[in-house]
Amino acid sequence: MSQQAVNGVQSRGKVLTLDNMNPNVKQVYYAVRGPIVQRAVQIEKELKEGVKKPFTEVIKANIGDAHAMGQKPITFLRQVLALCSYPELLEDTKFPEDAKKRARRILDACGGHSIGAYSASQGIECIRQDVARYIEKRDGGISSDPDNIFLSTGASDAIVTILKLLVCGEGRDRTGVMISIPQYPLYSAALADLGAVQINYYLDEDKCWGLDVTELKRSLNAARQHCNPRVLCIINPGNPTGQVQSRQCIEDVIRFAKEEHLFLMADEVYQDNVYAEGCEFHSFKKVLFEMGPEYSNTVEMASFHSTSKCYMGECGFRGGYMEIINMDPEVKAQLIKLVSVRLCPPVPGQALLDLVVNPPQPDEPSYATFMKERTAVLAALAEKAKITEQIFNTVPGITCNPVQGAMYTFPRITLPQKAIDKAKAEDQAPDMLYCMRLLEEEGICLVPGSGFGQREGTFHFRMTILPPTEKLKIVLQKISAFHLRFTQEFS
C-alpha cells in the first residue's frame, strides 16, 4: 500500500476497501437489476444522445413494474392518496365522498393528522385491523389477529426481517433455508447477505413448474449433511415461473413442514393474479386451518402480501404486510424490537395498503369505476398470459409453460452448442450471452434464467407480460425473430 505524506500526515489509503469490507455483501447478486439492466440504461442514454441503433426505444421487460410499463393507476387509490398528501383538497367538490371519508379516517390515525408523521413501528393500528378483516374475508371467516399483522416496506422488507430472526449457528449448525429453483433473487441475495445456507429444491418444468414433496425430501436430506435446515420458502403464484399451486400440493407442503419441523414462509404477493382455467389461489393460512388443530396450532408460519403487484402495481409506494402464525411470544417480542429499530414503514405505503384491503363497497360512489378498472387490468393480464404462451410455442427452440398466474413467463430456450462454447470462452452464462445480444440487437431487456437458477444444462429467460397488449405482441415477435437468427448464426 502506498503511503504518501499529505500535509505531513501519513496517508494509508482507504479505510474501507474491497478486501476489508463485509464479505457477505460481495456474495449478493440480484439478477433482476443486474448487468443487462445496467447496459439497458446505458443504451437509453446513447439513444437520447442520438446514437443510431436498430431500434428507437429500450423495452424493459425485466421487472414486474406495471406503471413503468404503461399501466394506469387505479383512480380511487390515487384520489385517497392525493387527499391524504394534501388535505386542503378535502374541500374540493371534484373528489367523491367515499374517497374523502377514507382519507379522513387515515389522517385521523396519523400523528398531527399528517402522513408525514411517523407511525407505530408495527404499522397504523386501524390499518392492521383492516388487514386482519381482509384476511378473514379472503379465507372464509378464519380469524386473524391485528396484533399478528406487521406492515412493511413492500413484502421484501418483511421477508428479510423474518429471515434475520431465523439465521443462526456456525459451520454445520448454520441455518439452511429451502428455496425453489427457479427462485426470485431476493431470496438468494438475502441469504448471502445474512450468511445463511441456501438449499435448492427444483420445480418440475415438465409438470408446469409443479412442486413435488419427494423433491423437497431429497433436497432436505442432502442439505442435512452440511447445515441445519430450518426454513421452507414457497412463492405462490410463482415468480419467475407463473405456476399456481393446487390445494393438494399446499396440504402436502404443510404436512412436510410439520414432519420436518420447518418454519414456513409463504410469499403470496401475486394472490390476485390467477388466469388459467381450473386454477385458484388458496392461501397457505386457510389450508393450514382447514387441516385442523394438529397443524393450525403447531406449524409456524409467516405469509406476505404487497401493494406492488396484483391489479394495483403500485411498486413505488413500498406498501406490504406480513401475518405471523404460531410464533413463540418471546420471539415475537424480539420481532417487535427489530421492526422498531427501523422506526416505521412508509406511511403513504400503509395508506395505500389500507385501500387495497378495504376497497370501495357496492353502496359507495366509487365502486363502479373501481371494479371496472380492476377487472380491466386483470382481464388484460389474462389475455397477455395466453398470447405469450401461444406465440412462444410456435417458435422452434422455445417452449413455454402456461402462465397460470403472477406476471411473468419463464420459457425454456434451446441454444446451439457453438453459442454455449462461445459463452464459456467469454466466461459468461449462455443465456446471459443470448439476452445481452437480444438487448443490443432489438432493444429488449430480459433477465437470463441463470439469474434465477435452473437445472444444469437448461437455459431460460424471464420476461414480464406487463407491456400493453399491442406492444407485447411486437416484443414477442421480435424475440421470436431474434431466436431464429441467433440459432442460425451459431448452428
Side-chain angles (χ1 to χ4, degrees):
M1 201 187 292
S2 68
Q3 299 202 350
Q4 291 131 343
V6 182
N7 299 336
V9 179
Q10 285 290 346
S11 159
R12 294 178 297 179
K14 299 282 186 197
V15 172
L16 180 63
T17 68
L18 209 51
D19 293 331
N20 67 20
M21 70 175 281
N22 178 342
N24 289 346
V25 174
K26 288 193 276 189
Q27 300 306 314
V28 171
Y29 179 65
Y30 189 60
V32 177
R33 292 185 185 234
I36 294 239
V37 185
Q38 287 153 15
R39 176 65 189 130
V41 171
Q42 240 175 340
I43 291 174
E44 281 185 318
K45 280 189 186 145
E46 290 169 17
L47 284 169
K48 271 191 188 133
E49 288 157 10
V51 178
K52 285 277 169 278
K53 302 268 177 197
F55 46 86
T56 53
E57 63 165 341
V58 173
I59 297 171
K60 291 201 184 102
N62 62 299
I63 196 163
D65 189 346
H67 293 197
M69 282 281 152
Q71 185 179 308
K72 293 279 174 281
I74 301 288
T75 307
F76 180 74
L77 304 185
R78 288 299 182 90
Q79 282 175 332
V80 180
L81 286 166
L83 293 163
C84 288
S85 304
Y86 192 60
E88 278 81 347
L89 292 173
L90 287 162
E91 308 307 316
D92 193 322
T93 52
K94 284 200 287 290
F95 288 83
E97 264 324 298
D98 52 346
K100 289 180 180 179
K101 193 175 153 193
R102 296 306 164 83
R104 286 193 190 98
R105 180 170 176 263
I106 292 165
L107 290 169
D108 286 348
C110 294
H113 297 278
S114 169
I115 58 168
Y118 287 130
S119 78
S121 300
Q122 217 175 316
I124 295 171
E125 190 172 354
C126 70
I127 298 179
R128 289 191 287 120
Q129 288 166 352
D130 287 349
V131 170
R133 270 195 294 269
Y134 162 82
I135 292 171
E136 283 177 6
K137 192 176 168 195
R138 180 197 70 188
D139 292 345
I142 293 159
S143 82
S144 174
D145 182 351
D147 205 38
N148 290 332
I149 307 287
F150 289 72
L151 306 191
S152 57
T153 309
S156 314
D157 173 49
I159 289 165
V160 173
T161 302
I162 288 289
L163 286 170
K164 260 186 198 165
L165 290 177
L166 283 153
V167 175
C168 69
E170 292 301 324
R172 282 189 63 163
D173 288 334
R174 194 73 176 144
T175 294
V177 179
M178 301 180 72
I179 64 171
S180 60
I181 298 295
Q183 54 108 22
Y184 174 51
L186 162 71
Y187 290 90
S188 52
L191 297 179
D193 185 16
L194 296 167
V197 180
Q198 176 179 322
I199 305 170
N200 297 339
Y201 66 87
Y202 290 90
L203 300 176
D204 188 345
E205 185 168 12
D206 296 331
K207 292 187 178 155
C208 204
W209 298 113
L211 169 55
D212 189 345
V213 172
T214 26
E215 168 58 15
L216 289 179
K217 284 180 179 152
R218 178 209 62 77
S219 155
L220 182 80
N221 293 334
R224 284 205 165 122
Q225 311 305 309
H226 61 88
C227 70
N228 176 19
R230 303 178 67 202
V231 193
L232 172 57
C233 299
I234 306 279
I235 308 175
N236 178 49
N239 174 10
T241 42
Q243 84 287 7
V244 178
Q245 285 182 351
S246 68
R247 194 201 154 86
Q248 184 57 53
C249 173
I250 294 172
E251 282 188 23
D252 294 345
V253 168
I254 290 171
R255 273 191 207 96
F256 174 79
K258 182 180 189 295
E259 281 161 20
E260 302 296 350
H261 203 57
L262 299 170
F263 189 103
L264 253 183
M265 291 176 66
D267 178 338
E268 299 176 329
V269 304
Y270 296 99
Q271 54 189 261
D272 288 333
N273 300 106
V274 176
Y275 318 119
E277 259 174 59
C279 286
E280 192 186 333
F281 170 74
H282 301 277
S283 80
F284 264 78
K285 181 185 178 188
K286 180 174 194 272
V287 177
L288 176 71
F289 276 78
E290 287 174 350
M291 286 170 75
E294 183 195 342
Y295 295 94
S296 60
N297 291 343
T298 57
V299 175
E300 292 155 71
M301 185 172 94
S303 61
F304 308 90
H305 194 17
S306 157
T307 60
S308 302
K309 309 300 175 187
C310 297
Y311 61 90
M312 305 80 72
E314 292 280 11
C315 305
F317 279 98
R318 310 308 298 125
Y321 75 76
M322 67 174 163
E323 181 181 28
I324 54 167
I325 291 163
N326 293 323
M327 183 178 272
D328 181 317
E330 289 175 350
V331 175
K332 186 176 164 185
Q334 296 293 322
L335 170 59
I336 292 168
K337 177 184 75 177
L338 191 56
V339 297
S340 66
V341 174
R342 308 272 284 275
L343 296 171
C344 71
V347 175
Q350 295 186 47
L352 178 72
L353 177 70
D354 190 52
L355 307 171
V356 170
V357 297
N358 183 18
Q361 298 306 303
D363 58 346
E364 292 183 310
S366 300
Y367 180 77
T369 306
F370 172 81
M371 286 310 289
K372 188 178 158 198
E373 290 175 346
R374 180 186 187 276
T375 308
V377 170
L378 294 173
L381 282 167
E383 186 198 3
K384 292 190 271 197
K386 210 168 241 152
I387 291 169
T388 302
E389 181 199 344
Q390 283 167 349
I391 292 183
F392 276 148
N393 281 328
T394 61
V395 185
I398 300 184
T399 48
C400 180
N401 266 319
V403 182
Q404 297 176 331
M407 324 183 143
Y408 314 96
T409 177
F410 198 68
R412 185 162 167 178
I413 47 175
T414 307
L415 299 180
Q417 192 56 46
K418 277 185 188 166
I420 297 170
D421 296 342
K422 181 180 163 64
K424 285 200 177 127
E426 292 176 10
D427 199 22
Q428 209 176 27
D431 46 19
M432 174 64 105
L433 169 79
Y434 179 95
C435 288
M436 204 54 110
R437 283 281 298 269
L438 175 69
L439 175 64
E440 297 289 352
E441 291 176 28
E442 298 288 359
I444 295 168
C445 181
L446 304 177
V447 194
S450 45
F452 298 88
Q454 52 198 350
R455 281 198 184 273
E456 191 66 35
T458 68
F459 307 106
H460 302 79
F461 59 75
R462 184 186 84 159
M463 181 186 112
T464 173
I465 61 170
L466 285 169
T469 309
E470 291 317 306
K471 189 178 264 189
L472 179 69
K473 286 177 182 166
I474 295 166
V475 170
L476 293 166
Q477 278 148 7
K478 283 186 165 191
I479 294 170
S480 307
F482 167 80
H483 183 82
L484 297 173
R485 245 192 356 259
F486 183 90
T487 309
Q488 211 165 5
E489 182 188 333
F490 287 101
S491 54

